[in-house]
Amino acid sequence: MPKKILILTVGGSCEPIVNAISKTSPDFVYFVCSSGSKGSRKVVDGKDKPCQEREKDGTVKTMPSIVDQAGLQAEKYEIIEIEDPDDFQMCYEKLLEVKSDIEKRFADESLSVIANYTGGTKTMSAALVAFSLLTDWDLQCNVGPRVDLIKVRSGDVPVPVSVAQVRIRQHLQIVSELLRGYHYGEAVEVLERLLTDSRYMPGEIRRELIKANNLCKGFNAWDLFDHREALSFLEHYGEFTGRWLAFLRKLIKAQDQEQGGYEEVEDLLLNAERRAVQMRFDDAVARLYRAVELLAQIRLKKQYQIDTSNVDLSKVPESVRTKLIPDDDGKVRIGQSWAYAILTAMDNEPMGEVYRKWEKRLKNALTKRNFSILAHGNVPIDKATYDEVSSTVCSFI
């Protein structure tokens, strides 16, 4: 069983607080109260009879402190004092202290944290509710008979407050922002945390969140170039992913060299655009460089059956063949420059002809990639550099 932690905002009325402790039976209690001579601190563990309750006939009844009434031992509670209980920021920061203390005091223990906002100033209660919505704390409020608009009278009972729908909306707003930046992996983390933590979630909403989670997993795998893994997630939601599935299947077939052409090049260009949206310009330019290289590799393979990882020299024009040197294992491996050198040496090769016109501009643009930390240098690539390289590469392709 998880250890039960109860957090209470304390005002001038002791009975609801005592009732909450009695009915909840916590293992540890945090009292959040106001300090000073007129504050609620004294009713928590003050001497004599600091608690006062006004009877229906107007008389005042005095009673022992909250901890005495609840039978709490000193090691079973902590008091958090707030100098200005009407300062929302101050109240919120004190709750941060409570959270930090819980994490230290109960490290590695299974916990159920309940936040009761019945007592205290409106600001203290509002801060506790707001803070709880951003954590995994359960909310609780005392409910009982009211004979006026002042407060809950005797007979009140602490009841759980359902905030599942509010938490879902908050998490989905975060997911929406993440997806605008193509942060699929981070969106998966938020959705899985929501699915794990949210209690009393309606089945229909849970199914929609599972669907969203799987879609994000699929697109995240795609961004990592794991196209088969992406297909395994996305193909189950064809009514939503149809326009992506068609391209994804063509992409996989092109990789298997079953059919297709330059889908991999387009995929790299689109991936580069997404990295640029995330301001990861070094990653984006590295993908653009690879797209230029891959374009030539595919052309050589499809049109001339030349594999750049093991070049058949008999298929290479003599003007280039004599310049290619085998590695120690006897294989000839070539990179981007030599791949385009072969294409430009071929008779009536349209890609080679285009490359001749673009060669100087391409080399000038891609040289900036060579100075990046992901290539051979340590110069970071900024947006202006990315825009220049992207414009040149995309126009060429």
Side-chain angles (χ1 to χ4, degrees), residues 184-250:
Y184 301 117
E186 291 83 351
V188 167
E189 290 183 9
V190 175
L191 287 167
E192 291 192 341
R193 187 165 62 246
L194 177 59
L195 284 163
T196 301
D197 295 341
S198 290
R199 301 166 180 86
Y200 319 115
M201 183 186 293
E204 183 180 352
I205 292 177
R206 185 177 296 277
R207 286 190 292 273
E208 287 298 311
L209 290 177
I210 291 172
K211 173 182 175 181
N213 190 45
N214 285 334
L215 289 169
C216 288
K217 283 183 175 180
F219 286 119
N220 186 55
W222 195 336
D223 253 4
L224 298 175
F225 303 104
D226 192 344
H227 301 108
R228 284 178 174 77
E229 178 77 358
L231 183 62
S232 71
F233 282 107
L234 301 181
E235 65 183 348
H236 300 296
Y237 304 101
E239 78 284 359
F240 182 74
T241 60
R243 62 196 179 105
W244 290 291
L245 280 176
F247 178 72
L248 182 57
R249 289 193 173 106
K250 286 182 180 179

Side-chain angles (χ1 to χ4, degrees), residues 130-190:
F131 192 90
S132 298
L133 289 174
L134 296 176
T135 65
D136 58 355
W137 295 357
D138 290 324
L139 278 172
Q140 184 188 79
C141 184
N142 286 32
V143 176
R146 283 187 180 272
V147 296
D148 54 38
L149 298 177
I150 299 174
K151 64 179 180 179
V152 174
R153 300 297 180 179
S154 60
D156 60 285
V157 177
V159 297
V161 178
S162 177
V163 295
Q165 300 287 350
V166 177
R167 282 200 175 119
I168 289 169
R169 287 182 180 275
Q170 286 181 319
H171 280 75
L172 291 183
Q173 285 178 348
I174 296 171
V175 169
S176 180
E177 288 299 317
L178 288 170
L179 293 182
R180 287 192 185 96
Y182 305 107
H183 296 285
Y184 301 117
E186 291 83 351
V188 167
E189 290 183 9
V190 175

Side-chain angles (χ1 to χ4, degrees), residues 267-381:
D267 190 50
L268 274 168
L269 295 179
L270 293 171
N271 195 299
E273 287 181 14
R274 295 194 292 275
R275 301 295 76 75
V277 170
Q278 297 169 346
M279 303 184 73
R280 291 166 52 187
F281 300 118
D282 287 272
D283 287 342
V285 167
R287 284 156 171 76
L288 292 173
Y289 182 93
R290 175 62 182 140
V292 173
E293 180 179 59
L294 184 59
L295 182 71
Q297 289 176 337
I298 294 173
R299 182 65 178 175
L300 287 172
K301 187 75 172 179
K302 288 182 68 66
Q303 190 68 18
Y304 303 102
Q305 294 74 53
I306 295 175
D307 184 349
T308 58
S309 65
N310 186 13
V311 178
D312 182 348
L313 291 176
S314 67
K315 298 178 180 180
V316 177
E318 187 176 358
S319 60
V320 179
R321 184 193 315 150
T322 56
K323 300 175 184 177
L324 299 180
I325 302 173
D327 293 333
D328 292 340
D329 60 1
K331 291 183 178 181
V332 175
R333 299 175 178 86
I334 60 173
Q336 183 190 113
S337 296
W338 283 116
Y340 279 103
I342 293 174
L343 286 170
T344 54
M346 294 287 189
D347 293 332
N348 302 316
E349 167 50 49
M351 191 176 290
E353 293 174 7
V354 174
Y355 181 78
R356 285 193 197 95
K357 299 175 183 177
W358 282 84
E359 183 175 6
K360 185 175 181 180
R361 278 176 286 178
L362 269 175
K363 286 186 175 179
N364 286 339
L366 294 176
T367 294
K368 294 178 171 60
R369 169 262 180 189
N370 291 331
F371 293 128
S372 118
I373 197 166
L374 295 183
H376 312 297
N378 57 8
V379 179
I381 292 179

